[in-house]
């Protein structure tokens, strides 16, 4: 049995245009092709991207103002990309094809969980550790040195 190679990255999600608690209005795409949106107030606390032979999966985790976690998942199957048109015409956009930048194709889902422990099966261990750290410590810490 061979294992499928996976490229997994964690992304720094430090927000800059937010209120004092780091919360801001957030709009996420949902559904096939991202044709609908959902809006809430929160702040992004984690992100990961996995590239496999079958798909690119981007997971973003947000802490909501009410203390819940919203997991926003975008799955871009390579087989779907072939149906979108002639990629050879747009070969200069290779960075977005390989997961650099924002993909506009794929299926988008959201899931809301109540605790950091409930996030464990939904994100990679590296991202879970990052989220735990960001939730347990203040967003900004002024040192008196």
């Amino acid at each position: 049995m061979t294992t499928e190679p996976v490229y997994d990255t964690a992304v720094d999600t430090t927000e800059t245009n937010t209120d004092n608690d780091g919360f801001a209005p957030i709009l996420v795409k949902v559904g096939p092709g991202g044709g609908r949106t959902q809006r809430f107030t929160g702040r992004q606390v984690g992100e990961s991207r996995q590239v496999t032979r079958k798909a690119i999966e981007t997971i973003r985790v947000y802490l909501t103002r009410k203390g819940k976690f919203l997991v926003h998942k975008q799955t871009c199957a390579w087989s779907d990309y072939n149906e979108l048109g002639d990629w050879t015409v747009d070969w200069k956009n290779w960075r977005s094809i390989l997961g650099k930048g924002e993909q506009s194709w794929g299926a988008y889902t959201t899931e809301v969980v109540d605790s950091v422990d409930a996030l464990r099966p939904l994100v990679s261990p590296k991202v879970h550790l990052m989220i735990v750290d960001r939730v347990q410590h203040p967003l900004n810490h002024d040192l008196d040195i």
Side-chain angles (χ1 to χ4, degrees), residues 67-81:
K68 298 184 184 228
F69 295 91
L70 183 132
V71 179
H72 182 246
K73 183 187 292 187
Q74 178 187 9
T75 304
C76 304
W78 292 113
S79 60
D80 293 341
Y81 186 74

Side-chain angles (χ1 to χ4, degrees), residues 84-116:
L84 296 175
D86 185 6
W87 64 271
T88 58
V89 174
D90 196 25
W91 68 272
K92 291 182 181 179
N93 197 16
W94 64 270
R95 291 177 56 82
S96 68
I97 294 170
L98 296 177
K100 299 296 182 187
E102 194 70 31
Q103 292 87 22
S104 60
W105 49 286
Y108 299 80
T109 61
T110 58
E111 186 172 344
V112 178
V113 296
D114 294 327
S115 68
V116 174

